[in-house]
């Protein structure tokens, strides 16, 4: 392998690590193009994507012996969805507070990507990874936060949705665009958020902090400022994200880890009983709750954006798979029905939005 290629691998890996191990595809593509001294534009974006993926595969070969891997994870974020629904590039720039100043039109358009590169350790369990970042007393609060953020909030009416809640509004509008069940909204032609029922997982900091203090997991030595500081660090390390309304939810790193956690129960991968019981212990309680909202197609946890069948409450699809599912139904001229209970999806009341 020549030196410049090795250097390129090193530079890309260093960049990924500098982002705390999680980077949005357009951002990494931009870095890659700069390193290659190429301009990123519509004409060469596919080629650069392929080349970047080849480079990542090479990096993974050398990481393999150390049990690390860079993997791609699909997750639409509210920011990407806002970019998709923006009428023009101009409004995208105006609305996009996280615009990194990149001046090319196409690079901005790429923000609608739903792909992330995630640097992950294949051997350590979620709890042992957390244990390297947090003191044992702090871990008590961290565990509490994870447990709470895995619990779905009560069902609410879309009509009661706070319109300033960017995240939920973005997911609702995008799901409607795909599945087109919200006939009321189409008929009256207003730009209202429409109707239906939704659930979500995010929780306010007060409910997390007060809830912890009142729970039997409370650690007296942790002051209010310590707890706030832990929440901030969890966001920095991309385990959690905080939305405009101040609420917290699990984020890419957690979702990647939880995906692996589910996988280890799905496939008998031959790992020893000891390893398994350690994993069970480390992520206590999550197994039960996770059995609920697993995507019917890709087996990913449906957490940020998706739907659930309101009739059987057993059929879940995340946003990407919802598209795939509808394409499949339409191309075979089948009606859109729940794969489990065969309930037909005709109306917004046939589904529950996960926002
Ligand atoms: Zn899926
Ligand atoms: Zn069903």
């Amino acid at each position: 392998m020549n030196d410049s290629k090795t250097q390129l691998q090193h530079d890309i890996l260093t960049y990924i690590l500098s982002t705390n191990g999680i980077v949005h595809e357009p951002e990494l593509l931009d870095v890659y193009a700069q390193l290659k001294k190429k301009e990123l534009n519509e004409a060469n974006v596919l080629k650069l994507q392929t080349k970047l993926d080849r480079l990542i595969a090479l990096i993974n070969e050398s990481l393999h012996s150390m049990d690390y891997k860079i993997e791609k994870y699909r997750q639409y974020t509210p920011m990407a969805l806002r970019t998709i629904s923006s009428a023009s590039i101009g409004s995208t720039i105006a609305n996009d507070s996280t615009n990194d100043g990149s001046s090319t039109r196409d690079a901005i358009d790429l923000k609608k990507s739903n792909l992330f590169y995630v640097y992950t350790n294949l051997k350590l369990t979620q709890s042992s990874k957390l244990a390297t970042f947090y003191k044992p007393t702090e871990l008590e609060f961290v565990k509490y936060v994870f447990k709470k953020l895995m619990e779905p909030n009560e069902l609410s009416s879309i009509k009661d949705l706070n319109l300033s809640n960017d995240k939920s509004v973005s997911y609702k509008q995008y799901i409607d665009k795909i599945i087109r069940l919200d006939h009321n909204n189409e008929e009256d032609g207003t730009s209202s958020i429409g109707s239906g029922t939704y659930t979500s997982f995010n929780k306010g900091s007060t409910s997390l902090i007060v809830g912890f203090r009142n729970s039997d997991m409370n650690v007296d030595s942790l002051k209010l400022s310590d707890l706030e500081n832990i929440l901030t660090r969890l966001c920095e390390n991309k385990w959690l994200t905080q939305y405009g309304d101040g609420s917290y939810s699990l984020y890419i790193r957690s979702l990647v880890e939880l995906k692996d956690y589910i996988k280890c129960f799905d496939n008998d991968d031959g790992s020893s009983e000891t390893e398994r019981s350690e994993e069970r212990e480390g992520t206590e309680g999550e197994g039960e709750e996770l059995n609920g909202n697993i995507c019917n197609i890709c087996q990913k946890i449906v957490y940020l954006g998706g739907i659930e069948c309101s009739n059987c409450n057993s059929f879940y699809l995340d946003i990407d798979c919802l598209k795939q599912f509808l394409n499949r139904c339409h191309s075979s001229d089948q009606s859109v029905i729940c794969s489990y209970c065969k309930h037909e999806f005709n109306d917004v009341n046939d589904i529950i939005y996960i926002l």
Side-chain angles (χ1 to χ4, degrees):
M1 195 181 299
N2 63 42
D3 282 352
S4 68
K5 197 144 203 176
T6 316
Q7 185 61 40
L8 195 58
Q9 286 184 32
H10 173 264
D11 291 345
I12 286 288
L13 181 58
T14 307
Y15 187 81
I16 294 174
L17 295 178
S18 77
T19 63
N20 280 323
I22 295 183
V23 53
H24 194 199
E25 184 196 37
E27 185 182 335
L28 194 63
L29 210 51
D30 208 24
V31 171
Y32 179 69
Q34 282 175 35
L35 289 168
K36 295 279 283 181
K37 300 197 168 43
K38 293 249 165 45
E39 200 189 322
L40 187 59
N41 55 43
E42 212 168 315
N44 67 7
V45 64
L46 285 176
K47 205 167 138 196
L48 285 173
Q49 271 168 333
T50 312
K51 284 189 164 185
L52 174 61
D53 280 341
R54 251 183 249 151
L55 188 78
I56 297 286
L58 287 173
I59 298 174
N60 277 339
E61 275 175 29
S62 41
L63 289 174
H64 185 74
S65 60
M66 292 175 282
D67 289 315
Y68 279 94
K69 189 184 175 196
I70 299 162
E71 60 178 294
K72 266 180 154 180
Y73 188 76
R74 283 189 299 110
Q75 174 62 59
Y76 273 117
T77 60
M79 190 190 88
L81 297 183
R82 278 203 300 280
T83 311
I84 291 171
S85 43
S86 294
S88 70
I89 295 291
S91 66
T92 306
I93 298 167
N95 293 337
D96 189 359
S97 56
T98 56
N99 182 13
D100 57 9
S102 168
S103 60
T104 69
R105 177 197 154 105
D106 299 307
I108 292 162
D109 193 32
L110 274 170
K111 283 214 166 82
K112 68 184 180 202
S113 164
N114 62 349
L115 287 173
F116 288 82
Y117 289 93
V118 183
Y119 179 77
T120 181
N121 184 309
L122 300 169
K123 216 167 188 181
L124 291 177
T125 60
Q126 181 196 1
S127 51
S128 35
K129 279 176 211 179
L130 283 165
T132 59
F133 290 104
Y134 299 92
K135 291 182 230 151
T137 47
E138 293 178 329
L139 267 180
E140 288 305 304
F141 180 54
V142 171
K143 273 192 220 163
Y144 179 84
V145 167
F146 272 81
K147 190 168 154 253
K148 284 293 150 193
L149 292 180
M150 284 304 303
E151 291 172 6
N153 295 325
E154 272 177 43
L155 292 182
S156 314
S157 166
I158 292 285
K159 292 207 161 62
D160 299 333
L161 188 65
N162 182 348
L163 287 178
S164 67
N165 182 336
D166 264 20
K167 173 191 87 113
S168 300
V169 171
S170 301
Y171 284 124
K172 165 74 167 88
Q173 287 174 334
Y174 193 57
I175 291 169
D176 282 344
K177 230 177 179 175
I178 305 172
I179 193 166
R180 299 185 182 282
L181 291 177
D182 203 347
H183 309 301
N184 293 332
N185 206 21
E186 281 167 20
E187 277 159 25
D188 67 17
T190 61
S191 58
S192 77
I193 187 65
S195 51
T197 307
Y198 78 98
T199 185
S200 58
F201 293 86
N202 43 318
K203 311 273 186 301
S205 65
T206 316
S207 101
L208 293 172
I209 288 172
V210 173
F212 176 68
R213 291 220 150 149
N214 293 332
S215 76
D216 50 12
M217 293 169 84
N218 184 33
V219 179
D220 287 331
S221 61
L222 291 173
K223 297 193 294 279
L224 177 64
S225 58
D226 296 327
L227 300 177
E228 284 167 346
N229 175 269
I230 294 169
L231 287 174
T232 307
R233 279 155 61 207
L234 283 166
C235 288
E236 279 166 7
N237 293 317
K238 300 176 185 175
W239 290 98
L240 306 187
T241 190
Q242 189 179 21
Y243 292 104
D245 63 356
S247 66
Y248 291 88
S249 95
L250 298 183
Y251 199 49
I252 308 291
R253 180 163 300 287
S254 305
L255 299 177
V256 171
E257 301 292 342
L258 292 168
K259 178 199 69 166
D260 288 340
Y261 176 71
I262 296 158
K263 231 179 0 192
C264 83
F265 287 102
D266 279 353
N267 317 325
D268 194 1
D269 58 7
S271 60
S272 74
E273 277 305 311
T274 334
E275 275 173 310
R276 292 197 160 223
S277 60
E278 264 171 24
E279 271 161 3
R280 283 212 179 96
E281 198 189 330
T283 40
E284 56 190 282
E286 283 169 6
E288 280 162 53
E289 284 143 353
L290 282 179
N291 286 336
N293 47 333
I294 303 301
C295 174
N296 189 254
I297 294 182
C298 72
Q299 309 295 306
K300 193 174 95 166
I301 170 175
V302 185
Y303 189 89
L304 293 172
I307 63 144
E308 169 186 350
C309 168
S310 67
N311 187 51
C312 66
N313 299 106
S314 303
F315 179 70
Y316 292 83
L317 291 169
D318 65 286
I319 286 183
D320 294 287
C321 294
L322 177 62
K323 278 190 209 167
Q324 209 183 313
F325 175 73
L326 290 171
N327 286 341
R328 228 186 267 170
C329 295
H330 294 151
S331 64
S332 57
D333 269 335
Q334 281 170 351
S335 45
V336 181
I337 55 168
C338 167
S339 302
Y340 283 156
C341 70
K342 310 297 175 202
H343 184 75
E344 210 163 320
F345 295 160
N346 288 321
D347 183 88
V348 72
N349 295 314
D350 297 320
I351 61 166
I352 294 168
Y353 292 87
I354 298 171
L355 305 178

